[in-house]
Amino acid sequence: MAFKLEPILFLFFLFTIVSRDCEAAKGGPGYPPQIPKPDVNYKDITMVKGLCARLYVPKTAINPNQKLPLVVYYHGGAFVGYSAFLSPHDDFVYSLVKNSSTIVLSVEYGLATNNHPLSVPFNDSWRALKWVASHSSGQGPEEWINKKVDFSRVFLLGDSAGATLAHSMTMKAGSKMLKGLDINGIVLIHPYFWGSKPIGHEAKEADKRAGGDAVWNNAGGARLGLDNPLVNPLVDPKLASLGCSKVLVFIAGEDIYRDRGFYYCEALRTNGWKGKVELVETPGEKHVFHLNEPNSKNTQDMLHRISSFLSTA
């Protein structure tokens, strides 16, 4: 997955990630301007020191007493790249908010760079959830969440490595209850799940297998191994404790990770987990096509399916 960044965007991206400066994300001299989003209200917030996010609220929520579902979104990027504040993830979330009438908190977690270990994106993702939970009584630091979020409808969503984070956070929530926060469901788009032994079509795609290994190892996962439950939930003996009641998984027909997503769903259905799982396959498409082809029919179908999932019990 590769996106072209203009030089000023690259410098912004690099400075923000390395310094973890949440204020830099709000723009200003030397930084890219905010992209107009006429159908939503949004702002960039600091949740806790060194951890920020972009919060989106649809303008359709004009009734001050109207409560909406909350989606906590974790962007992809192999744990080492991209940002909640830049295209294509910012564009995708904007489309999601418009299509689903939900509130979205897009987390700018720290990346696993040379200066930060792989534990950083996982720890930051959990810190973000704890911050969300602090609003469940209506007394949290962010008024938009206090006033507008229906805490009976909280979802996690991620694509690629962000889906790995979303799954991991839901597993953690299943064993470490967050006071005031129950995760209703998770949406995993082309999840980066992996393992040391090929499954399905992987045995015939050696070059892509090497790329899958590299994603984990280059982010600092080599010491943990490819069969750590953080990246290989198929070997997790605690998978049945997944802390939500429903799961929606998208896989793409030309994606090396497609079989992992399929068998993840099968494992949930057969290992004692009591929730409902849905699998959606898009034939002929590649990994994270929704980011590369935001206006395609398949992307619009995906957004519609997510919207339906978020709106039903």
Side-chain angles (χ1 to χ4, degrees), residues 21-284:
D21 182 357
C22 295
E23 290 300 313
K26 299 178 182 179
Y31 298 104
Q34 300 287 5
I35 300 170
K37 299 175 178 62
D39 298 302
V40 307
N41 294 311
Y42 76 99
K43 57 182 170 180
D44 299 329
I45 58 176
T46 299
M47 293 180 285
V48 296
K49 184 177 180 180
L51 180 60
C52 42
R54 179 162 288 176
L55 180 62
Y56 308 73
V57 176
K59 287 186 177 179
T60 53
I62 56 176
N63 182 343
N65 298 317
Q66 182 182 11
K67 299 283 188 176
L68 297 175
L70 173 68
V71 173
V72 180
Y73 173 69
Y74 301 111
H75 68 81
F79 308 107
V80 299
Y82 297 99
S83 168
F85 301 116
L86 298 179
S87 297
H89 303 286
D90 178 49
D91 299 341
F92 172 70
V93 173
Y94 176 49
S95 296
L96 175 64
V97 175
K98 287 195 302 180
N99 280 272
S100 63
S101 294
T102 58
I103 296 169
V104 176
L105 181 77
S106 185
V107 179
E108 180 74 346
Y109 57 83
L111 302 178
T113 65
N114 290 334
N115 297 320
H116 301 118
L118 179 58
S119 59
V120 167
F122 287 90
N123 290 342
D124 277 0
S125 297
W126 183 248
R127 288 203 296 159
L129 274 190
K130 292 201 298 184
W131 181 85
V132 169
S134 72
H135 295 76
S136 61
S137 65
Q139 301 298 316
E142 175 49 57
E143 280 304 297
W144 283 8
I145 295 180
N146 288 332
K147 294 179 178 180
K148 296 183 179 297
V149 167
D150 178 356
F151 273 88
S152 70
R153 294 186 292 167
V154 175
F155 300 85
L156 306 189
L157 186 154
D159 41 41
S160 193
T164 317
L165 293 172
H167 163 78
S168 180
M169 295 308 102
T170 312
M171 287 297 301
K172 194 168 184 177
S175 59
K176 296 184 179 181
M177 296 299 293
L178 283 172
K179 185 178 180 180
L181 182 65
D182 292 322
I183 299 172
N184 189 272
I186 57 174
V187 180
L188 307 182
I189 303 175
H190 311 160
Y192 170 67
F193 294 144
W194 206 234
S196 63
K197 297 179 180 179
I199 62 174
H201 295 85
E202 295 171 7
K204 300 177 182 179
E205 301 178 89
D207 56 335
K208 294 182 179 179
R209 273 284 312 176
D213 292 353
V215 169
W216 187 244
N217 292 334
N218 290 345
R223 64 179 182 83
L224 300 175
L226 292 168
D227 291 317
N228 187 287
L230 290 175
V231 71
N232 188 358
L234 298 181
V235 301
D236 190 346
K238 299 179 180 180
L239 186 59
S241 67
L242 185 71
C244 65
S245 61
K246 61 180 187 175
V247 174
L248 173 62
V249 178
F250 290 91
I251 59 176
E254 301 301 316
D255 186 3
I256 184 64
Y257 307 119
R258 63 192 181 276
D259 292 330
R260 299 280 171 175
F262 173 84
Y263 285 112
Y264 172 79
C265 293
E266 288 300 299
L268 288 176
R269 292 188 179 109
T270 60
N271 75 350
W273 181 65
K274 302 301 183 181
K276 178 182 178 181
V277 60
E278 301 176 51
L279 176 68
V280 178
E281 180 174 4
T282 311

Side-chain angles (χ1 to χ4, degrees), residues 2-31:
F3 302 98
K4 182 179 180 181
L5 291 177
E6 296 299 325
I8 189 172
L9 294 181
F10 175 77
L11 292 174
F12 159 81
F13 172 69
L14 180 64
F15 175 77
T16 303
I17 294 307
V18 171
S19 68
R20 307 192 77 184
D21 182 357
C22 295
E23 290 300 313
K26 299 178 182 179
Y31 298 104

